[in-house]
Amino acid sequence: MLRLNLTRPAVAYLRDKLGLSPAQEEVALYGLQIITYSAANLFSVVIVGLFLDCLGPALAATAAAGILRLFSGGAHSRSPLTCNILGMLVAGSIGKFSSFLAPLLPPSGLLLLVLMGAGLAFLPFLFLAPVDSPSKPLTSKERKKMRRLSIIFFFLITFSQVGILALRGPSSLVWAISLGVWWQAFSLTRAGQGLATTIDKLFSLNQREVLGG
């Protein structure tokens, strides 16, 4: 499987110049990957949001899902490139759908859907979060802390949606935030993890065909 890794050569250069130890090199690599991949994901969402004329909702959905993902974990692709492409497609789809659907609903109807959806989406965060990586399992204490933070931010996001509606803010943003939260809740489930595995396999097969493997 083809993997683009531009961060390791950069860290190797820093290691040679600064005389980093192996442990320091791993920390630097992890930090640089987080910054690089986050910037790439944000850039791709901005591009697709501008192209589909739904930048605000696309960013709102990405922000809501991203904040919750920090504490709840969830299914993810093994390839940063695949993860980037999937995030771009999901953000663009949510943004466009929200822009189209939001004007069709009155504020009271949208509020009802937001609260009903939040009630269902809360269950995965309560019972499944955090979904950690097998390579970096969390301790019991860490799991309790991450679950608590997931629930706190879940309610903060839900209250912010109610506030936007009360202030007669853009309903498309409210819809987008809900869809972003629902998508993140789905990623905590076995179905979400199974979807991530399937997408990984599909991208792997496509890359092998392109490379003639």
Side-chain angles (χ1 to χ4, degrees), residues 23-45:
Q24 291 173 327
E25 183 181 357
E26 286 302 313
V27 172
L29 176 62
Y30 177 76
L32 186 57
Q33 285 178 337
I34 293 295
I35 295 172
T36 303
Y37 298 153
S38 297
N41 288 337
L42 179 60
F43 179 76
S44 63
V45 170

Side-chain angles (χ1 to χ4, degrees), residues 197-210:
T197 300
T198 301
I199 292 174
D200 262 342
K201 291 179 179 179
L202 290 175
F203 270 85
S204 178
L205 288 174
N206 289 336
Q207 289 173 351
R208 288 174 183 173
E209 289 177 0
V210 170

Side-chain angles (χ1 to χ4, degrees), residues 106-126:
S108 58
L110 180 54
L111 176 61
L112 179 60
L113 288 176
V114 166
L115 295 179
M116 290 176 59
L120 293 175
F122 177 65
L123 298 179
F125 291 100
L126 178 63

